[in-house]
Amino acid sequence: MPSSAAGTTYASAGVDVEAGDLAVELMKDAVKATHHDSVVGGFGGFAGLYDVSTLLKYSKPLLATSTDGVGTKVAIAQALDKHDTIGFDLVGMVVDDIVVVGAEPLFMTDYIACGKVVPERIADIVRGIAAGCAAAGTALVGGETAEHPGLLGVDEYDVAGAATGVVEASALLGPERVREGDVVIAMASSGIHSNGYSLVRRVINDAGWSLDREVTDLGRTLGEELLEPTRIYTADCLDVMRHLNGDPVAGTTGAVATPSGEPALRGFSHVTGGGLAANLARVLPQGLMATVDRGTWSLPAVFELVGQLGRVPLQDLERTLNLGVGMVAVVDPAAADAALARLNARGLPSWVAGTVGRVTDSARQAGADFMQGAKGVDGGAVLLTGAYATA
């Protein structure tokens, strides 16, 4: 092959291999910090290895998997040139879908596509992922960074991740466990989390607001509020589930005996795209309906701001954003007090937001406040009632 200084190289095509190597060097300590005895082979292999011999303790282990990204929230991080929290968001979006079925997330991998590898930026993103994995008790066993010059701008990137967890079959949570009379417990969100940013960004842009604008009601700049990391609920959900239902793998029994003898915690719902009603409907069986009282909580300031600034209809807000509730638990009424005490003691503000009953004809006629099924799942229904409390 001819050799010439004027020839085309990978670097001249826009891919910097050395920058990628430096990014790996900068991130490796954060990744290694998420590893434990079940991670095999350490950091830097072609494939992440995980020792699953611990599953021998299970009678019938079921693997749970989930994959997700953080959507257009990355545009806020890029605009502010602050990249150390977006990875934390990614972990929350993935692992909290796994814990909904009662599974413990075991390990996670990530993927970052960018227009240009800036080692410090990539390392910041991965450090955020590692921090999220640490919060969820999940090992970060591998990942990939891909440089796509000409497809993405030099300051543009997107992130995605996938995780795998395990649950004992007898402990699996889901719609089939939910009963008439059960209680709906809401768990507070930390803010907008990682859904609905296309709406939020459109409202902000149309209003001509800058991200460095100080907003009195928020107590900080708009950009700081919009980058608030997604709350990760995995550890809290696993704790309250094992407290109420016991842990068949560990051989422990639940702290609350229900009149029916069934496990007290029936299921969780992760409130992401589609809002509270759409996601709660997914974990209810056909024929049952959760009636949720808006008056049990007040809207956090950022949601009021988006609604008022953009004159966004309430129904659109409710079907796009979490409006202050990031996770929901459905429990036997005998266990509601114990669940609330456990969650609040862990520093997670939680409250009774509603109850489960039969679907009624009057509910079906409630218009936009009523949602039957959601996201292709032939599940139950949710009725939102009342008005949000005032702060």
Side-chain angles (χ1 to χ4, degrees):
M1 297 292 291
S3 176
S4 169
T8 302
T9 64
Y10 208 13
S12 69
V15 177
D16 189 341
V17 176
E18 291 182 354
D21 291 342
L22 178 55
V24 170
E25 185 66 25
L26 293 174
M27 71 177 70
K28 69 178 183 180
D29 288 343
V31 175
K32 286 181 177 179
T34 71
H35 292 181
H36 44 69
D37 292 344
S38 292
V39 178
V40 179
F43 178 82
F46 281 94
L49 296 174
Y50 194 89
D51 180 0
V52 294
S53 59
T54 182
L55 301 189
L56 295 173
K57 298 183 296 184
Y58 289 70
S59 297
K60 186 180 180 181
L62 302 179
L63 294 180
T65 184
S66 178
T67 186
D68 210 338
V70 298
T72 63
K73 188 172 185 176
V74 297
I76 306 296
Q78 291 161 16
L80 293 174
D81 194 23
K82 179 174 171 54
H83 313 282
D84 57 349
T85 61
I86 205 74
F88 198 93
D89 290 299
L90 176 64
V91 177
M93 296 304 294
V94 174
V95 299
D96 283 341
D97 277 357
I98 287 178
V99 80
V100 161
V101 298
E104 176 184 0
L106 300 176
F107 55 86
M108 182 168 176
T109 58
D110 66 75
Y111 176 77
I112 304 170
C114 61
K116 178 179 175 58
V117 170
V118 178
E120 294 77 12
R121 179 191 300 157
I122 299 299
D124 275 350
I125 296 170
V126 176
R127 288 189 191 109
I129 296 172
C133 284
T138 305
L140 180 58
V141 299
E144 174 70 13
T145 300
E147 202 167 21
H148 292 167
L151 183 62
L152 295 169
V154 294
D155 292 322
E156 293 180 336
Y157 62 82
D158 199 9
V159 295
T164 299
V166 63
V167 59
E168 179 64 65
S170 64
L172 184 68
L173 304 179
E176 64 280 355
R177 291 194 181 273
V178 178
R179 300 289 180 263
E180 185 175 359
D182 283 350
V183 173
V184 176
I185 291 178
M187 304 177 213
S189 68
S190 58
I192 297 177
H193 286 182
S194 300
N195 291 102
Y197 274 80
S198 294
L199 170 65
V200 173
R201 290 168 50 244
R202 177 63 180 269
V203 167
I204 299 304
N205 289 339
D206 286 353
W209 283 30
S210 64
L211 294 176
D212 61 0
R213 182 183 181 124
E214 291 283 348
V215 183
T216 301
D217 289 345
L218 301 178
R220 52 182 168 177
T221 68
L222 178 61
E224 289 170 335
E225 177 68 33
L226 296 184
L227 268 194
E228 177 67 31
T230 301
R231 174 170 267 151
I232 295 178
Y233 298 90
T234 293
D236 300 305
C237 289
L238 289 174
D239 176 81
V240 73
M241 179 187 71
R242 290 166 177 165
H243 177 67
L244 296 182
N245 293 2
D247 184 349
V249 179
T252 61
T253 56
V256 176
T258 64
S260 65
E262 297 176 323
L265 198 148
R266 320 296 202 191
F268 296 110
S269 175
H270 188 197
V271 183
T272 55
L276 173 60
N279 286 286
L280 181 53
R282 299 168 70 185
V283 299
L284 302 176
Q286 275 190 306
L288 291 188
M289 174 183 73
T291 300
V292 175
D293 181 5
R294 298 182 181 101
T296 58
W297 79 97
S298 57
L299 292 183
V302 66
F303 299 107
E304 288 195 347
L305 173 66
V306 171
Q308 293 172 7
L309 192 62
R311 300 194 301 274
V312 183
L314 176 61
Q315 288 75 22
D316 207 58
L317 283 175
E318 290 182 329
R319 295 190 181 213
T320 307
L321 304 172
N322 69 63
L323 298 191
V325 179
M327 182 70 79
V328 172
V330 181
V331 303
D332 186 288
D337 288 344
L340 287 174
R342 193 79 177 187
L343 291 168
N344 283 296
R346 292 178 61 87
L348 176 53
S350 305
W351 63 94
V352 171
T355 56
V356 176
R358 306 299 302 179
V359 177
T360 64
D361 289 339
S362 60
R364 289 192 179 96
Q365 297 168 7
D369 290 341
F370 175 79
M371 180 166 289
Q372 177 77 52
K375 292 189 174 181
V377 177
D378 193 16
V382 173
L383 176 67
L384 299 174
T385 63
Y388 292 104
T390 55

